[in-house]
Amino acid sequence: MTFDIFKRTGIFIALCLTQALVLNRIHLFDCATPLLYVYFVITMPRNHPKWAVLLWSFLLGLAIDTFSNTPGVAAASLTLLAVIQPYYLELFIPREATENLVPSAAELGTMKYSFFAGTLTILYCFAFFTLESFNFFNWLQWLENVGGSAALTFILILTIESVRKK
């Protein structure tokens, strides 16, 4: 358990720094920004307490909001994702799966994991950009932001999964 906390803290810090120092500067076609920190919530283990998932996600969102100047947007969106992730994960795992299962392409299979991660990424981007714009006056720009950022983030998540060890 202690090793898991140190591992999660390391991933937390790495994703925070990567997002703040590198990924926030990328705006592909002026609409697609990779939001890689979603990967932290997607890979929460099955047996992790739900309150801990919520707390980790809120703190990561708060840290991202601090570095990105998006007051409360990432924290609210990541907390929403943390509420949904444990229940949504249960739809993809077999009944005889171990309690300490960590969602990955190796554990779930590439297709199931792609659908799992893709759906959660789209949901996160939808919530994030809806809260950020807070209106639908320029709905085409909002749609481009959601679609472009979700696609770019999903590609980065699949890239990480392809090089990750079991």
Side-chain angles (χ1 to χ4, degrees):
M1 185 67 178
T2 306
F3 179 71
D4 183 53
I5 291 173
F6 287 128
K7 182 181 169 186
R8 285 270 154 209
T9 304
I11 294 170
F12 182 100
I13 292 169
L15 286 174
C16 252
L17 290 175
T18 303
Q19 186 68 40
L21 299 175
V22 179
L23 298 178
N24 279 348
R25 312 271 188 274
I26 298 172
H27 302 292
L28 201 59
F29 304 116
D30 205 28
C31 64
T33 302
L35 305 169
L36 188 59
Y37 53 89
V38 171
Y39 184 69
F40 185 79
V41 179
I42 290 173
T43 59
M44 280 291 185
R46 178 182 184 193
N47 66 346
H48 217 65
K50 289 175 180 53
W51 66 266
V53 175
L54 287 171
L55 184 63
W56 276 109
S57 300
F58 177 74
L59 291 175
L60 178 61
L62 200 59
I64 295 297
D65 283 334
T66 302
F67 291 123
S68 303
N69 198 22
T70 54
V73 175
S77 302
L78 271 181
T79 305
L80 171 69
L81 200 65
V83 168
I84 295 169
Q85 189 266 357
Y87 301 107
Y88 193 59
L89 176 61
E90 293 296 324
L91 298 175
F92 291 91
I93 56 176
R95 288 190 179 144
E96 64 274 356
T98 61
E99 280 297 314
N100 59 353
L101 179 122
V102 176
S104 68
E107 290 288 333
L108 299 177
T110 305
M111 291 303 293
K112 278 186 180 180
Y113 182 78
S114 296
F115 190 74
F116 173 73
T119 307
L120 288 178
T121 302
I122 290 170
L123 176 68
Y124 176 78
C125 289
F126 179 82
F128 182 87
F129 288 108
T130 300
L131 289 173
E132 186 181 50
S133 67
F134 210 67
N135 66 32
F136 293 104
F137 181 71
N138 194 356
W139 63 272
L140 193 56
Q141 179 68 37
W142 169 80
L143 201 58
E144 288 172 352
N145 287 341
V146 170
S149 295
L152 198 53
T153 303
F154 182 65
I155 289 169
L156 285 175
I157 287 172
L158 289 183
T159 303
I160 289 172
E161 275 301 311
S162 69
V163 298
R164 186 174 144 195
K165 292 189 290 186
K166 288 186 181 182

